[in-house]
Every structure is written in structure tokens, then in C-alpha cells.
Amino acid sequence: MNTREIGTRKEEAACRYLEQQGIRIKERNFCCKLGEIDIVGYDGEYLVFFEVKYRKTGSGKGDAAEAVGIGKQKKICRCSDYYRMIHHLAADTPIRYDVIAIDGEQMQWIKNAFDYLER
């Protein structure tokens, strides 16, 4: 199985988990010229942009949560701005940036993983 197939399976597992937790998923793999957001959904009134990161146990690459660095956070924020614009969402729509970190078979939902970052 190649890296993309593994990533797709982990994102599917994350979606199932989030739906079990009451998240209403609106979109998966939202792409634009600015980048990609893995999952977009609602947690109550919050519009949440989810980044899913997977690390194989013992890969030597650190844990999954550490892989969402400042550069990736800025890219997600730019994409979220575009998403809100094309969907005509109000500027005061409450938003949040969460990470689903998967280390081996262990899944962790990190709510409010990072704040909005300006360009």
C-alpha cells in the first residue's frame, strides 16, 4: 500500500471517529490553489477545519501532532479564508482549527490545536 492509500484510509477512519463524536462533516479534501484542508465540519456552532496527520509507530519522524508546523498552519488558515469566502459565511462565524493525530493505531483529537495565523 502506498503513502497516499494509507493517508486516505487514515482520513476515512478520522471521519468515522468524528461523526461518532457528533461532528457534521461538510467536506473532505477541500482543495484550492492555496492548499488543502483534509476535513471541514461543524462541531455545534463552530465551523472546524481539521488536519489529519499519521505517523507509523517507530518511524523516527516524531509524533503526528508535531508534523503540523507553522507553515502548514498558515496554509490551512489561508485555505479556510477562501473556503469561508466561496461559501458566503459571515465574518463572525465561529471557527476552530483542530488536528487529528494518528500515531500507529492511536488516534488523538486535539481541539483548538492552533490559532488563526495571518499571512
Side-chain angles (χ1 to χ4, degrees):
M1 190 174 333
N2 68 35
T3 305
R4 184 67 202 138
E5 290 171 333
I6 293 169
T8 298
R9 286 185 181 199
K10 297 302 179 182
E11 285 180 13
E12 288 170 358
C15 283
R16 284 192 304 273
Y17 171 77
L18 290 169
E19 287 174 330
Q20 289 169 356
Q21 304 305 310
I23 299 299
R24 291 176 293 128
I25 294 176
K26 302 303 283 181
E27 194 156 350
R28 289 182 58 189
N29 300 310
F30 172 75
C31 291
C32 66
K33 66 180 180 176
L34 302 168
E36 178 185 359
I37 297 173
D38 294 328
I39 303 168
V40 181
Y42 279 94
D43 184 10
E45 66 178 8
Y46 279 86
L47 177 63
V48 185
F49 299 96
F50 294 92
E51 175 67 10
V52 179
K53 277 297 177 193
Y54 168 72
R55 288 290 182 260
K56 183 169 58 170
T57 303
S59 69
K61 294 183 180 181
D63 68 23
E66 293 172 345
V68 186
I70 296 295
K72 183 66 173 174
Q73 292 173 21
K74 286 182 180 180
K75 196 175 269 194
I76 292 168
C77 291
R78 286 192 299 269
C79 289
S80 73
D81 287 343
Y82 184 71
Y83 182 91
R84 291 182 297 151
M85 182 190 75
I86 66 170
H87 288 89
H88 309 288
L89 298 171
D92 63 350
T93 300
I95 63 169
R96 199 173 72 214
Y97 300 96
D98 292 1
V99 171
I100 301 296
I102 306 171
D103 291 292
E105 296 302 315
Q106 184 76 6
M107 187 178 303
Q108 178 186 15
W109 179 7
I110 305 167
K111 293 184 180 182
N112 224 3
F114 58 91
D115 293 325
Y116 178 83
L117 298 172
E118 297 287 334
R119 297 175 187 228

